[in-house]
Amino acid sequence: MKIRNLLFYIFVVILFFSARIPQLGEDIVNADAARWHARSINFLNSLKSGDYKGTYQHNQPGVTLMWVESLRLLIFKTELNTQKLNDSSFYIENNIYSKLTLVLVLGLLFIISIYLLSNLFNSEIALIYGLIFSTEPFVIGID
């Protein structure tokens, strides 16, 4: 791999994270966000107790989100108590770390996709994809 291409890859990855990380917690939180945190806690508690039927939280997709959030809760040993979500200072901090975890997972998948595209096509295609994906406002908002 050429040094120039490597520098472009590093630039694109930095661009990806710099568009997503600095204002975590500054966005609008809708009523559904609190439900997702509670569902993730209930999901993990059900997994830990072996109550696999209890992992069903709602009739809409979100299993991947609950797995990622459960992993974060386990790694950082966050207290698994849905009552704490009613404390505004805990909720804001929990929401920021939850979103940061999602951004890091998405960043890892982004790096993998750039790598695969560069092998499948070429470096230029992968870098164009990386630039568009990193700076596209709708994708940033969803991430």
Side-chain angles (χ1 to χ4, degrees):
M1 177 184 298
K2 297 178 186 175
I3 294 293
R4 181 175 167 224
N5 284 349
L6 180 61
L7 292 175
F8 278 129
Y9 286 128
I10 292 170
F11 170 75
V12 167
V13 170
I14 289 171
L15 185 63
F16 176 88
F17 286 116
S18 67
R20 289 159 175 81
I21 291 179
Q23 295 187 349
L24 285 178
E26 303 284 327
D27 59 336
I28 298 170
V29 176
N30 63 18
D32 202 33
R35 290 187 205 114
W36 279 113
H37 293 300
R39 288 177 192 152
S40 295
I41 290 170
N42 293 335
F43 179 81
L44 180 57
N45 285 335
S46 295
L47 278 177
K48 289 174 79 174
S49 68
D51 176 23
Y52 301 114
K53 189 175 183 180
T55 60
Y56 175 77
Q57 296 296 310
H58 196 264
N59 62 351
Q60 67 188 67
V63 175
T64 306
L65 178 67
M66 287 188 281
W67 275 106
V68 171
E69 180 67 5
S70 296
L71 182 63
R72 180 189 70 85
L73 292 169
L74 280 173
I75 290 172
F76 295 104
K77 298 184 181 8
T78 304
E79 186 178 330
L80 304 177
N81 181 350
T82 55
Q83 292 300 104
K84 274 187 88 173
L85 291 174
N86 294 329
D87 175 13
S88 62
S89 62
F90 173 79
Y91 179 83
I92 292 169
E93 181 180 326
N94 185 59
N95 194 47
I96 289 170
Y97 287 125
S98 177
K99 288 182 178 186
L100 177 62
T101 305
L102 291 172
V103 168
L104 293 174
V105 168
L106 291 172
L108 177 63
L109 293 172
F110 175 67
I111 292 168
I112 292 169
S113 67
I114 288 176
Y115 172 77
L116 292 174
L117 281 171
S118 67
N119 285 336
L120 189 60
F121 296 105
N122 59 43
S123 298
E124 289 77 22
I125 297 292
L127 290 171
I128 290 170
Y129 160 80
L131 283 171
I132 292 171
F133 195 83
S134 294
T135 58
E136 207 286 317
F138 182 76
V139 175
I140 292 171
I142 295 299
D143 288 356

